[in-house]
Amino acid sequence: MQTETPHIAGKYQTSTREYLGNVPALNRGTRFSVVFGGLAVLLAILSLPYLVPVALELALAVALLSGYASVPFAWLTLRSRRQMVEQPVEVFADDAGLHFTHGVVDLDIPWAEIDRLRENRSSFFVMASQARVYIIPKRAFDPNELEAFRQLVASSTKRGRG
């Protein structure tokens, strides 16, 4: 007899500042940041005798590779959607996938649609198909449910460090 995984439930509310703090981790290591960061390094090498272009291109490379280049764009987007970001969110996880209740919106994400789930010291980043990303702060779960969530994720999807 196989036991069914219990529902893992969490609740959180983010601030714009917290969301913007997670933006670099979302973009660090993506194909876009690695490819264009590498191109900026290559341009800096090709511009070597001239210090100003080298400095600018290296600054661009660092911003792209670290993920900080996307913070201004995220900030501009969040200015008009602040209420959406700061609403309370309930998240449920089970064998089927993740279920989010955000305001009046219910969203189900089956594990098959989740390409990867990254974890850093404060959050989980759920990367789903069609370039969708969801941030789940670890504080949404109590310590027992946090460990159960990690185990469920490990058995259901690819997991990485963020």
Side-chain angles (χ1 to χ4, degrees), residues 1 4 17 60-61 64 68 71 76 85 143 153 158:
M1 187 167 123
E4 186 175 312
R17 181 183 203 132
L60 177 63
L64 286 167
Y68 283 97
V71 171
L76 286 171
V85 171
V153 166
K158 291 183 255 178

Side-chain angles (χ1 to χ4, degrees), residues 111 114-118 125 153-160:
W111 291 115
I114 296 175
D115 299 326
R116 199 167 115 189
L117 194 136
R118 291 172 51 192
F125 305 104
V153 166
S155 67
S156 302
T157 188
K158 291 183 255 178
R159 185 171 167 204

Side-chain angles (χ1 to χ4, degrees), residues 83-109:
Q83 295 84 8
M84 286 180 53
V85 171
E86 294 180 347
Q87 285 183 344
V89 178
E90 292 180 358
V91 60
F92 301 96
D94 60 16
D95 287 334
L98 297 174
H99 176 79
F100 292 91
T101 302
H102 186 255
V104 295
V105 176
D106 287 335
L107 180 66
D108 289 312
I109 307 170

Side-chain angles (χ1 to χ4, degrees), residues 126-140:
V126 180
M127 293 157 187
S129 58
Q130 300 173 0
R132 295 181 297 167
V133 177
Y134 305 92
I135 301 170
I136 305 172
K138 290 181 180 178
R139 64 179 164 71

Side-chain angles (χ1 to χ4, degrees), residues 33-54:
S33 68
V34 170
V35 168
F36 286 102
L39 286 174
V41 169
L42 180 63
L43 285 173
I45 291 170
L46 294 174
S47 302
L48 252 176
Y50 307 102
L51 294 179
V52 172
V54 169

